DNA sequence: ATAAAAATTTAGACTAGTCTAAATTTTTAG
DNA sequence: CTAAAAATTTAGACTAGTCTAAATTTTTAT
């Protein structure tokens, strides 16, 4: 099948493509995978040979249908394992990503099927990210960033765009957990920071940097 | 830390050493790892450089204390994952070995600790193999081979020495499951085959080849 | 429109792990 | 004790994935 490395490139291409329009650049991939552009170029040629990406030299890449299928399968595994680690083993949501990065490469269709069933076919991972279906579809969510919410509106915290341990621990510190309801009490015009009221009545200060990385949906 | 490949060599050295006296030979390792003797020689030099094995050229190898510690850790992970796959995900005991071969290399101390707790700190894997302790001790079991049991004796099936899918499915077919009690009804002097009586009263024919690979303990 | 800057690819080299073929050491048999 | 056989190691080569430095292409700015 495909090597760990190939799987990781495909996943990264999918991720970068989902956050922009047009082709994904060599440099963006190099930064994301913590390698050099020269190494990325080599790998892109290989992935193109295997028909996993569309690639014209100097023009960036995008996934083929087959490439996207593989990418979504890896993302599905990653997110299912994250659910397992949090729901069954009791890990914190800030501690599971790196372990899932390894578990996602275990090669067994049967394992994924059984794991999914065992977990009750979850729709979202511990960070609110939707879990691709076994048929290879990425469920769409209509969430907005907290930074785009008007003052006075009440919304529910549905996901995060940043997955670093530091960021997630900061949210824990602020008592901002997934699915909690919050009201935007004040918006500071100068630095775009927010004052946000929790259900408990307590208000917390949320910087623009943080608000940009929080996904929210209609309350209730 | 150590690469997958290094971990697999250490595990294999441990396995071969446990089934013989004296040093493990290059050829034995080559056969077991399905590589060539030349490749094994290269790797042995590397493992010796890392102080994981005692190695004198042409004289075979044995694990150092550190090498054994690493080997036991991998075996512990392998067996805990096998318990998970059978007990939690509902896999058959004949289907878990290959998946565990991959899962055993996931690098997280915390993961193993939590998995162990989650599984209720099991002492044995689905094949009756003892699970090394977190302190790095391999529990000793005083089992005998079914092929060494005298006619008329009643014993309990405690483990298997052969882990192939084919062998395990054959046992399923014979209704020989772990912890079932059996009585040796007849022993055939010519081919050493046995007639064995199950608790149900039914008798099954067990070839010497099969009996050699079944571990039994005192009944009850 | 062109020159400088930025992005990308190519060239050549390195490591881990593997192989075949050849050389060396140990073991076995006579 | 010696010669053949068996086991093991060494030599040289290959692949996947990576790197640095150099070459090439594209983009940007005057
Ligand atoms: Mn993750
Ligand atoms: Mn996640
Ligand atoms: Mn096994
Ligand atoms: Mn086992």
């Amino acid at each position: 099948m495909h090597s760990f490395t190939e799987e990781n490139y495909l996943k990264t291409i999918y991720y970068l493509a989902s956050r922009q329009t047009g082709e994904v650049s060599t440099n963006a991939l190099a930064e994301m995978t913590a390698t050099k552009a020269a190494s990325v170029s080599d790998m892109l040629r290989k992935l193109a040979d295997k028909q996993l990406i569309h690639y014209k030299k100097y023009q960036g890449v995008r996934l083929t249908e087959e490439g996207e299928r593989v990418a979504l399968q890896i993302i599905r595994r990653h997110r299912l394992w994250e659910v397992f680690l949090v729901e069954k083993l009791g890990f914190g949501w800030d501690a599971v990503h790196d372990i899932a990065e390894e578990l996602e490469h275990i090669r067994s269709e049967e394992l994924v099927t059984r794991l999914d069933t065992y977990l009750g076919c979850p729709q979202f991972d511990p960070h609110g990210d939707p879990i691709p279906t076994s048929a290879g579809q990425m469920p769409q969510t209509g969430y907005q960033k907290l930074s785009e919410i008007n003052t006075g509106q009440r919304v529910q915290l549905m996901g995060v765009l940043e997955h670093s341990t530091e960021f997630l621990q900061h949210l824990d510190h602020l008592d901002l957990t997934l699915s909690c309801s919050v009201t935007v009490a004040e918006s500071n015009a100068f630095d775009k920071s927010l004052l946000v009221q929790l259900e408990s009545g307590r208000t917390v200060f949320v910087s623009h940097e943080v608000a940009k990385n929080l996904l929210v949906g209609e309350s209730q």
Side-chain angles (χ1 to χ4, degrees), chain A residues 155-167:
Chain A
V155 292
Q156 197 173 7
L157 191 55
M158 300 307 284
V160 296
L161 286 175
E162 157 77 40
H163 295 73
S164 70
T165 302
E166 297 68 38
F167 178 66

Side-chain angles (χ1 to χ4, degrees), chain A residues 55-60:
Chain A
Y55 175 45
K56 279 201 293 280
K57 278 202 278 193
Y58 294 100
Q59 305 303 309

Side-chain angles (χ1 to χ4, degrees), chain A residues 78-79 82 97 125-127 129 163:
Chain A
H78 181 101
R79 294 181 180 173
E82 284 191 346
H97 181 77
D125 85 358
H127 311 103
D129 293 310
H163 295 73

Side-chain angles (χ1 to χ4, degrees), chain A residues 37-54:
Chain A
S39 310
V40 173
S41 268
D42 281 350
M43 182 55 81
L44 293 183
R45 200 179 27 67
K46 278 185 220 169
L47 293 175
D49 288 349
K50 291 194 174 189
Q51 320 250 26
L52 293 164
I53 58 174
H54 294 291

